[in-house]
Amino acid sequence: LTEIPVRALYVALQLLFEALRAKALMTALPAKERSPRLVEYLDFLRGHCGLAESTLRRHEDDVARFLGFFGRDTDAAITSLTVKQIDAFIIEASGTRARRSMTLTCGVLRGFLGHLYLKGVLRADLRKHVLTPRIYALEGLPRSIPWKDVELTLKGVRRAGVAGRRDYAVLVLLALCGLRANEVAGLRLEHIDWRR
């Protein structure tokens, strides 16, 4: 189980529990008491934004966690929210979540704070103080391929026909000469110094 991502286990268990409840093999847990502000926000998202139930559950989880972080979710506590408290919540949440997950959590939090501001519950617009972690395009790709994998790839090419020899030559140019794909594609016979 340690090799399975936590989120995958969570989703699998949710599906299992839903199936067990549907077959009356398991009773539903008593409903958690939700903050009136949270209920109002979820109704807004459902009615005006048309979000799917799965997305609403994500919003509910994040907002409930945010409100519960301070131990109370009364209007008095909400109206006295500070940037320092928001930062403390984000720091705490980031300890258990990946950056991509935190990007979603910050988006949910910005939406909730914006809703509270537009409803007049918050005197200041605190959305701008919720900073999202920076995510770079293709950051999950490895910087290089292990050499043993390169060798296995080169050995795996069938060099019997013309196409096989061409494929092998392309891979050698990429792996051993360090050419980029567009450089290999643009390579012409006249670019080669045949005498050397």
Side-chain angles (χ1 to χ4, degrees), residues 88-99:
F89 168 76
I90 291 172
I91 290 167
E92 186 271 337
S94 66
T96 58
R97 296 181 180 192
R99 282 187 305 135

Side-chain angles (χ1 to χ4, degrees), residues 5 11 20 39 43 45 48 69 84-86 97-98 109 113 115 139 141 155 158 170 190:
V11 171
L20 291 173
V39 172
D43 288 343
L45 292 176
H48 294 281
F69 181 71
K84 197 171 189 174
Q85 289 175 311
I86 294 169
R97 296 181 180 192
L109 189 54
L113 293 172
H115 178 74
E139 71 178 38
L141 294 177
K155 285 179 185 173
R158 292 184 184 169
V170 167
E190 59 268 16

Side-chain angles (χ1 to χ4, degrees), residues 20-84:
L20 291 173
R21 281 193 286 274
K23 295 194 179 279
L25 296 172
M26 179 178 163
T27 58
L29 295 171
K32 295 181 286 187
E33 190 174 326
R34 296 189 295 182
S35 158
R37 291 294 173 190
L38 173 56
V39 172
E40 176 186 78
Y41 180 57
L42 293 174
D43 288 343
F44 166 76
L45 292 176
R46 188 178 286 110
H48 294 281
C49 302
L51 296 182
E53 285 302 316
S54 59
T55 306
L56 288 171
R57 279 195 299 273
R58 170 67 196 246
H59 281 258
E60 180 179 0
D61 289 347
D62 284 341
V63 172
R65 187 174 178 184
F66 174 68
L67 293 173
F69 181 71
F70 308 107
R72 56 195 208 279
D73 59 7
T74 61
D75 268 2
I78 292 171
T79 55
S80 63
L81 270 175
T82 64
V83 174
K84 197 171 189 174

Side-chain angles (χ1 to χ4, degrees), residues 120-195:
V121 177
L122 293 176
R123 285 180 239 114
D125 187 1
L126 298 175
R127 287 179 289 190
K128 60 186 172 196
H129 299 290
V130 180
L131 303 177
T132 304
R134 186 168 288 173
I135 304 294
Y136 298 97
L138 308 176
E139 71 178 38
L141 294 177
R143 293 198 48 84
S144 63
I145 300 170
W147 186 248
K148 63 179 179 160
D149 292 341
V150 173
E151 289 176 328
L152 282 172
T153 303
L154 290 174
K155 285 179 185 173
V157 177
R158 292 184 184 169
R159 294 181 256 173
V162 174
R165 287 193 295 271
R166 179 210 55 213
D167 293 347
Y168 182 76
V170 167
L171 290 172
V172 166
L173 289 170
L174 293 170
L176 302 179
C177 299
L179 270 67
R180 294 188 173 108
N182 64 341
E183 293 171 331
V184 173
L187 196 60
R188 300 288 174 258
L189 289 174
E190 59 268 16
H191 296 154
I192 301 170
D193 184 350
W194 294 100
R195 294 198 181 278

